[in-house]
């Protein structure tokens, strides 16, 4: 073999040992996105997700599908979202229930709200309104408390989310009234239960409570937050209505499966920010009783940790036993 031929064969042999170049990854997003929602259609989470999905679809030029997975106080949806591919194409648009309240409501969850997810952005604040069935002889919170104390065990309150459940329990422990809790799959279902006369009371977000109150099918008495809502300025806060140390709001946020690349999270965060900056989206949300409230991923991480501790204190004070 000539020296030239030998050298050529040697080079070919060496080149065969080199690793193949990794294929270039397509830029995000490169396929339709999916928003997993832990509650049914008509909930605040669903209303927000559908408005945001339309905006992000326009931004990315790709479809954004909204999938409702209700049940088990959001655990079914959370477990499904956590197992999705960590590439940013599946986003968990969720609430206080799955990423703050559930940690103290259950002995064991089907998901880990911290280890299984990466935060993307806080999205909105939800004021919680207390509504009663028209048959309840109370025009304000003080009259409701008096009625409940005069009829121990007769008052029922329903909830379809942990935030709504805890809102009712907080009212119970702050006032000393006796109420029976009735669980529902979602807050819209609980409100329908009230409208049909099966419940005395529901404390839930404005999206599902105020349409019924303004239609005369329920009576709104107060809001749970620290200040009145511009979306229902006629309603006093619980504190104004005479319930000391009652302050409770819910919120919405977006998460993605753990190990999703930081660059993808940043792109999603920016997309949600653009949606929340759009006056048309803001108007749609306000009509539904939703107040936009944007944050960075880092801010959401700290916020969710603080909220988890806050809601744990309320559950402990209520005497509720984790299920």
């Amino acid at each position: 073999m000539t020296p030239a031929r030998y050298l050529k064969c040697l080079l070919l042999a060496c080149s065969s040992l080199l690793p193949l170049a990794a294929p270039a990854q397509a830029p995000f997003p490169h396929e339709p996105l999916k928003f997993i929602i832990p509650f049914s259609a008509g909930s605040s989470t669903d209303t927000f997700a559908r408005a945001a999905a339309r905006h992000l679809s326009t931004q990315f030029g790709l479809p954004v599908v909204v999938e409702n997975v209700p049940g088990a106080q959001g655990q079914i949806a959370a477990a499904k979202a956590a197992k999705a591919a960590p590439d940013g194409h599946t986003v968990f648009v969720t609430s206080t229930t799955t990423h703050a309240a559930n940690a103290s409501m259950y002995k064991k969850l089907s998901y880990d709200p911290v280890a299984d997810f990466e935060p993307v952005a806080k999205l909105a604040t939800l004021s919680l309104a207390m509504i009663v069935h028209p048959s309840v002889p109370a025009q304000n919170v003080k009259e409701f408390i008096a009625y409940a104390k005069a009829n121990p065990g007769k008052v029922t309150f329903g909830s379809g989310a942990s935030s709504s459940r805890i809102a009712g329990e907080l009212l119970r422990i702050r006032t000393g009234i006796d109420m029976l809790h009735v669980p529902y799959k979602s807050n819209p279902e609980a409100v329908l239960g009230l409208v049909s006369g099966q419940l005395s009371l529901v404390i839930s977000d404005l999206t599902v409570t105020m349409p019924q109150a303004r239609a005369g099918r329920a009576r709104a008495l107060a809001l749970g937050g620290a200040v009145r809502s511009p979306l229902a300025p006629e309603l006093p806060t619980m504190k104004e209505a005479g319930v000391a140390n009652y302050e409770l709001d819910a919120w919405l946020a977006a998460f993605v499966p753990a190990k999703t690349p930081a660059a993808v999270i940043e792109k999603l965060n920016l997309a949600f920010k653009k949606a929340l900056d759009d006056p048309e989206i803001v108007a749609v949300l306000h009509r539904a009783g939703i107040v936009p409230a944007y944050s960075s991923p880092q801010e959401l991480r700290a916020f969710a940790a603080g909220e988890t501790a806050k809601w744990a204190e309320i559950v402990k004070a209520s005497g509720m036993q984790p299920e």
Side-chain angles (χ1 to χ4, degrees):
M1 180 181 296
T2 65
R5 183 172 176 80
Y6 174 80
L7 181 60
K8 184 177 181 180
C9 291
L10 182 63
L11 290 173
L12 287 171
C14 290
S15 66
S16 67
L17 298 176
L18 294 175
L20 295 175
Q25 289 188 342
F28 173 83
H30 55 266
E31 61 185 62
L33 276 71
K34 177 188 290 184
F35 287 176
I36 293 181
I37 314 301
F39 306 115
S40 63
S43 63
S44 291
T45 316
D46 175 79
T47 300
F48 179 94
R50 292 183 187 280
R54 290 191 293 271
H55 203 282
L56 265 65
S57 178
T58 300
Q59 290 187 52
F60 292 143
L62 288 166
V64 180
V65 178
V66 175
E67 181 180 356
N68 299 89
V69 187
Q73 301 294 344
Q75 290 195 64
I76 300 172
K80 181 173 184 176
K83 294 172 183 175
D87 58 10
H89 291 95
T90 298
V91 181
F92 190 34
V93 179
T94 187
S95 75
T96 319
T97 291
T98 62
H99 276 71
N102 277 357
S104 52
M105 294 280 287
Y106 294 92
K107 293 178 182 177
K108 185 178 181 180
L109 294 175
S110 60
Y111 66 99
D112 187 317
V114 177
D116 288 347
F117 294 94
E118 299 291 347
V120 175
K122 183 183 177 185
L123 303 172
T125 298
L126 305 176
S127 293
L128 302 176
M130 171 184 176
I131 60 171
V132 297
H133 188 264
S135 65
V136 175
Q139 299 299 317
N140 54 55
V141 175
K142 287 185 177 180
E143 290 181 3
F144 175 83
I145 295 170
Y147 168 75
K149 288 185 175 180
N151 297 273
K154 185 177 180 179
V155 173
T156 55
F157 80 97
S159 70
S162 295
S163 55
S164 185
R165 168 74 187 276
I166 292 177
E169 295 291 350
L170 184 60
L171 177 65
R172 182 180 63 78
I173 63 177
R174 291 288 187 260
T175 61
I177 60 178
D178 182 11
M179 297 193 297
L180 174 66
H181 175 249
V182 182
Y184 284 80
K185 262 192 170 184
S186 67
N187 281 338
E189 290 183 20
V191 171
L192 289 177
L194 181 139
V195 170
S196 66
Q198 300 173 29
L199 299 170
S200 309
L201 164 75
V202 169
I203 302 177
S204 184
D205 47 272
L206 300 181
T207 305
V208 296
T209 54
M210 293 311 293
Q212 301 294 345
R214 287 171 176 153
R217 292 185 287 268
R219 186 180 307 120
L221 301 185
L223 293 177
V227 296
R228 293 196 182 204
S229 170
L231 308 179
E234 71 276 17
L235 292 183
T237 66
M238 286 286 196
K239 287 184 179 179
E240 290 174 329
V243 183
N245 300 317
Y246 193 111
E247 184 179 323
L248 202 66
D249 283 319
W251 43 268
L252 303 179
F255 296 84
V256 288
K259 299 182 181 179
T260 299
V264 171
I265 293 173
E266 184 179 355
K267 197 164 187 178
L268 282 169
N269 178 276
L270 179 60
F272 277 115
K273 185 177 187 303
K274 287 180 179 178
L276 295 175
D277 285 340
D278 188 325
E280 290 186 10
I281 293 293
V282 172
V284 169
L285 297 179
H286 279 179
R287 286 195 295 271
I290 301 170
V291 179
Y294 163 82
S295 82
S296 69
Q298 296 76 20
E299 289 168 336
L300 173 57
R301 188 186 302 279
F303 175 76
E307 286 288 288
T308 300
K310 170 186 171 181
W311 289 70
E313 290 179 7
I314 296 172
V315 171
K316 183 178 180 181
S318 73
M320 293 171 58
Q321 296 300 314
E323 298 178 11

